[in-house]
Amino acid sequence: MKYAIIAAGEGSRLMSEGVALPKPLVPICGEPMIDRLVRIFTENGADEICIIVNRLHPQTEAHVRHLMAQPGHAPIRLAVETTPSSMHSFNVLAPWLEDAPFCLTTVDTIFREDDFAAYIRAFRQGQGGLMAVTDYIDDEKPLYVGTDADLRITGFHDSDEGDRYISGGIYALQPEAIATLRRCMAEGRSRMRNFQRALVEDGLELHAWPMSKVLDVDHASDIAKAEAFLSETPTPQP
């Protein structure tokens, strides 16, 4: 199984709020966000980790190349390119992902490690795609996820249509999902939420996997929020 990290954003909001480091290098609980994902993915059986970083941030590229030379983690492939959207970044990584099941997320996605391990175990045991979702809504523009009684995904919505969950921005997919991505690119679509809608249109089997919380680090205030979340004692599940 492969993993992929989209770390090609500009991080303009963090920079405008006084955060000097490029977003992938911002530490959460003392660990750069990109290092955290590489470590977690390695611990969850990554055969390979594919990463795209922005050409405008050579500091991030240098950091990842240094990381690639260090032992103790899964092999890393690196693409360096400036893209107009996360879906375009995904498309750059796609040729490396079309021969195995994979899990994709953006570099600023913060989740509990035990939640993630359970999610990956479920994906390995099942068929089709498994999308991480959460009922914790702290996103400026959440993507609501429609599900049936068996947590099969029925649609993705820009507004609440009576949906319990929103997308957590973590996608575990089979290689055939790459064909849907290519269709989206050929049709001039952009944004990952439109790719997710296209997966439903193409009839791919998608299920939702609830996580306790999933946070994005978009603003300087989100750094402390993410650290507080990871420091909390998890609430026992009934």
Side-chain angles (χ1 to χ4, degrees), residues 91-228:
N91 190 57
V92 172
L93 297 176
W96 295 338
L97 303 174
E98 59 189 359
D99 61 348
F102 63 90
C103 177
L104 168 79
T105 193
T106 54
V107 73
D108 62 338
T109 305
I110 305 298
F111 47 80
R112 290 193 189 283
E113 295 181 35
D114 54 350
D115 274 356
F116 185 78
Y119 165 68
I120 292 299
R121 285 196 300 270
F123 175 63
R124 288 179 181 274
Q125 294 167 3
Q127 302 294 323
L130 196 62
M131 317 294 266
V133 299
T134 179
D135 58 7
Y136 174 76
I137 302 176
D138 186 39
D139 195 294
E140 294 173 349
K141 296 180 180 179
L143 178 64
Y144 293 87
V145 182
T147 59
D148 65 15
D150 297 320
L151 290 181
R152 184 180 290 105
I153 293 176
T154 58
F156 294 94
H157 313 128
D158 287 328
S159 58
D160 187 356
E161 298 186 10
D163 307 313
R164 177 176 177 181
Y165 300 109
I166 65 168
S167 173
I170 310 171
Y171 324 105
L173 297 166
Q174 302 297 330
E176 53 262 35
I178 299 297
T180 297
L181 171 66
R182 292 192 173 123
R183 177 172 72 81
C184 289
M185 296 298 296
E187 294 173 356
R189 298 197 194 190
S190 61
R191 305 189 71 191
M192 286 298 291
R193 61 183 56 198
N194 291 325
F195 164 70
Q196 293 176 78
R197 291 186 178 110
L199 291 172
V200 175
E201 294 167 7
D202 286 350
L204 274 71
E205 181 185 354
L206 298 177
H207 283 82
W209 182 267
M211 289 190 178
S212 56
K213 284 185 185 179
V214 182
L215 308 179
D216 291 333
V217 178
D218 292 320
H219 297 280
S221 59
D222 293 333
I223 298 171
K225 188 183 300 183
E227 292 183 331

